[in-house]
Amino acid sequence: MKKGLIAIITVLIIVAIIAGVGISNYNGLVTAREEVASAESNIDTYLQRRADLIPNVVATVKSYAAHESEVYSSIAAARQKLVNASTVGEKAEANEELTAALQGLNVVVESYPELKADTTYVALMDELEGSENRIATARKDYNDTVKEYNNKVIRFPGNIFAGIFGFEKAEYFEAAQGADKAPDVGTLLGD
């Protein structure tokens, strides 16, 4: 009888330890997944801020350079794509397209020195630059959070519990292919 009681207590202790490890891993995975979602939300907030500023910048530039409609159209299309993006990959791709379109706008601005001195334009560009810096920081923070989460999902014993509870690796916010190369200003100017 005494040996049976010891065996039952031992089994209960082992079950309690396994349950404790499982609960701890599950809660760690849930917390990490929520941190990823929060970091992604921060990127969304800054991308939206940037998207909201762009029509004001374009309107200001349009008042000086009305004949540059192709540049405005590409910016509007890229902005709309960014606003409608739903996955991290789509957001990264749309962000890169918008950045390229804005480079075309910068080329137009260079042709109008009086525009570069306009206080409204200068203030909007300062806001846009601040947004760009916030986006870069948010992207870094997001990718750091994704790295921590993904490590929990793929490391032992977390990988076992991640598989059981359906946790999957998160997607990094990556720059579009070729974003590491400087744009050809001659091409942007039509040379």
Side-chain angles (χ1 to χ4, degrees):
M1 180 81 173
K2 203 173 189 182
K3 287 185 179 184
L5 185 59
I6 291 174
I8 291 173
I9 291 174
T10 303
V11 169
L12 288 175
I13 290 173
I14 291 171
V15 168
I17 289 171
I18 292 171
V21 169
I23 290 169
S24 175
N25 274 284
Y26 178 80
N27 288 339
L29 288 166
V30 168
T31 300
R33 182 175 59 192
E34 288 305 308
E35 288 174 2
V36 168
S38 174
E40 183 178 353
S41 178
N42 288 342
I43 290 174
D44 289 344
T45 299
Y46 295 132
L47 289 175
Q48 185 62 51
R49 181 178 189 270
R50 178 186 189 207
D52 291 345
L53 282 169
I54 288 170
N56 295 327
V57 172
V58 170
T60 302
V61 174
K62 267 186 178 180
S63 68
Y64 283 87
H67 63 281
E68 305 288 352
S69 62
E70 184 177 314
V71 172
Y72 309 134
S73 297
S74 67
I75 291 171
R79 179 187 178 276
Q80 193 60 37
K81 187 173 180 181
L82 179 66
V83 170
N84 292 334
S86 59
T87 67
V88 173
E90 289 173 354
K91 291 173 189 173
E93 182 181 326
N95 185 52
E96 294 302 323
E97 285 182 27
L98 186 57
T99 298
L102 288 173
Q103 288 172 342
L105 182 67
N106 287 336
V107 170
V108 171
V109 169
E110 290 298 319
S111 302
Y112 297 90
E114 66 276 7
L115 172 61
K116 291 191 297 185
D118 183 82
T119 56
T120 303
Y121 174 77
V122 171
L124 287 168
M125 291 308 291
D126 286 345
E127 287 291 319
L128 194 56
E129 183 178 337
S131 291
E132 297 291 342
N133 292 335
R134 288 180 184 97
I135 291 167
T137 300
R139 284 175 62 172
K140 182 198 173 303
D141 292 346
Y142 172 80
N143 284 340
D144 289 345
T145 304
V146 166
K147 179 181 175 187
E148 288 177 31
Y149 170 74
N150 286 347
N151 282 335
K152 289 182 181 201
V153 169
I154 61 176
R155 284 186 181 161
F156 181 81
N159 61 344
I160 294 169
F161 295 103
I164 291 170
F165 296 117
F167 289 88
E168 296 180 3
K169 286 177 63 175
E171 184 180 351
Y172 285 99
F173 197 108
E174 296 177 354
Q177 195 172 26
D180 57 338
K181 294 179 179 62
D184 179 5
V185 177
T187 302
L188 291 173
L189 291 171
D191 293 341

